[in-house]
Amino acid sequence: MSTVAQKKINTAQAINLALHDAMAFDSSVVVLGEDIADAQGGGVFKCTAGLSQKFGTGRVKSTPISEQAIVGAAVGGALAGLRPVAEIMLMNFMTVAMDQIVNHAAKLRFMTGGQTHVPLVIRTTTGAGFGTGGQHADYLEAWFAHTAGIKVVAPATPADAYGLLLSCIFDDDPCIFIENLPLYFVPGDAPVPGERVPIGKAKVVQEGSDITLVSYSRTLHDVIAVAKKLAKEGVSAEVIDLRTIAPLDMQTVTASARKTGRVVVAHEAQVDFGVGAEIAARLHKDLFGTLKAPVARVGAARSPVPFSKPLETEFVPTQNRILAAIRETLN
């Protein structure tokens, strides 16, 4: 495994480092996607820069612009003994390969009675804020979490991106690894080289006693900022980073909710039918009579992502909207 010299790195660097370390550790790890080799620029977001120079274009393969071909080849490679990491440039483009993802990658282990594993990672990025419009910035994690056989991961920090990607690569089931475009170049603590973050384990970012705030990916940073504002008002908020959407760590969330009695779930995806709805339903069932207020949910509007900058800004769950939901829950 490589050595991380710097104390701070960004998420794009953490992804690159995890891919490098995994490929150096295991020759069965291969990477494929559009423009990912160095001759084509090392990826649109430079997450694969330098890898083809180090490991060769046989293991770091730039593909045609065909999501079906990318995922189909990755599924076939996984069945043949490789550990492919397929890059789908933007999450909306995964819709083109839904048959391969949902009907093949997710179900082959079940349909073979456990005889066939599909150790496949599909990396993709998304996130509003860059004016990319309605076909490039949707959060679709709930779609894939709804499909049995797929693990869904959404890190919020460079260290977690590194550790979770390593865990996904060496997991024997298919994993959807969601990267947030606005977070790519935000610095954070460097990871411990080779240290894997377990899939399906949430992290208590900040302990508190008055209310539980649950989030993941970019929205977590807004939640943390709001929690700091609340602390100045004497409100003690416990902040939980889910890190993994499926499997969902309800044990950590429920324990916190039982302690505080109040919960707000915030995510960038639309509120309707989202991860927050699943968490709310489970908490209302398991803590019926214990909660002091209904679980509140904050998310994007039920709309395609707007191209207009003012509309796009209001489309995502702003800190003001998160704060309003918290105040209503506390009252």
Side-chain angles (χ1 to χ4, degrees):
M1 295 292 181
S2 65
T3 300
V4 182
Q6 59 267 57
K7 294 181 180 180
K8 296 283 185 180
I9 64 173
N10 61 42
T11 297
Q13 292 170 320
I15 297 297
N16 182 277
L17 188 63
L19 292 171
H20 173 278
D21 288 357
M23 296 183 78
F25 180 74
D26 189 337
S27 61
S28 71
V29 179
V30 297
V31 182
L32 64 160
E34 299 166 13
D35 300 328
I36 65 168
D38 290 295
Q40 289 76 40
V44 174
F45 307 112
K46 307 303 179 186
C47 292
T48 53
L51 295 181
S52 66
Q53 292 181 8
K54 176 72 177 289
F55 300 103
T57 54
R59 293 181 66 194
V60 182
K61 185 167 288 296
S62 288
T63 67
I65 302 175
S66 173
E67 287 74 20
Q68 288 178 319
I70 294 168
V71 178
V75 172
L79 295 174
L82 297 176
R83 292 188 175 275
V85 182
E87 178 181 301
I88 301 299
M89 191 181 296
L90 293 168
M91 196 170 195
N92 287 73
F93 301 165
M94 292 178 70
T95 59
V96 183
M98 287 297 278
D99 181 50
Q100 288 90 340
I101 298 169
V102 173
N103 285 325
H104 297 275
K107 296 177 180 175
L108 284 171
R109 180 175 177 181
F110 173 79
M111 295 176 72
T112 61
Q115 298 179 76
T116 300
H117 293 270
V118 188
L120 159 69
V121 180
I122 302 176
R123 291 181 44 244
T124 190
T125 188
T126 192
F130 290 86
T132 53
Q135 297 175 328
H136 297 79
D138 283 324
Y139 263 84
L140 306 174
E141 66 272 31
W143 286 16
F144 298 101
H146 194 69
T147 301
I150 293 179
K151 296 175 181 177
V152 183
V153 174
T157 66
D160 279 346
Y162 172 88
L164 283 166
L165 184 53
L166 281 183
S167 292
C168 287
I169 291 172
F170 294 108
D171 194 278
D172 285 333
D173 291 311
C175 298
I176 306 295
F177 192 86
I178 306 170
E179 300 160 19
N180 181 268
L181 178 56
L183 289 184
Y184 265 146
F185 307 106
V186 176
D189 292 337
V192 176
E195 185 172 277
R196 302 180 190 180
V197 174
I199 298 172
K201 182 61 179 175
K203 179 181 180 180
V204 179
V205 178
Q206 172 181 306
E207 293 189 356
S209 57
D210 295 326
I211 191 168
T212 298
L213 309 179
V214 182
S215 191
Y216 52 91
S217 193
R218 178 177 61 164
T219 308
L220 175 75
H221 296 270
D222 290 317
V223 166
I224 292 173
V226 170
K228 291 180 179 178
K229 294 179 183 178
L230 291 170
K232 296 178 181 179
E233 302 174 11
V235 177
S236 174
E238 184 145 297
V239 179
I240 296 176
D241 179 4
L242 288 179
R243 302 196 292 193
T244 301
I245 308 304
L248 189 60
D249 182 6
M250 282 304 300
Q251 182 176 359
T252 297
V253 174
T254 303
S256 178
R258 182 177 286 109
K259 177 175 68 173
T260 65
R262 296 179 174 88
V263 180
V264 174
V265 186
H267 50 62
E268 188 168 331
Q270 292 184 25
V271 173
D272 295 3
F273 312 104
V275 174
E278 178 65 23
I279 292 173
R282 295 193 192 189
L283 288 177
H284 286 144
K285 175 180 179 295
D286 295 339
L287 298 181
F288 184 76
T290 300
L291 293 174
K292 301 173 184 177
V295 176
R297 296 176 288 145
V298 187
R302 187 167 177 79
S303 162
V305 181
F307 175 76
S308 161
K309 184 60 179 177
L311 291 177
E312 186 184 36
T313 299
E314 290 303 314
F315 169 81
V316 298
T318 62
Q319 291 185 22
N320 285 339
R321 285 171 55 200
I322 295 170
L323 187 58
I326 292 171
R327 294 198 191 285
E328 183 178 355
T329 304
L330 288 170
N331 291 331

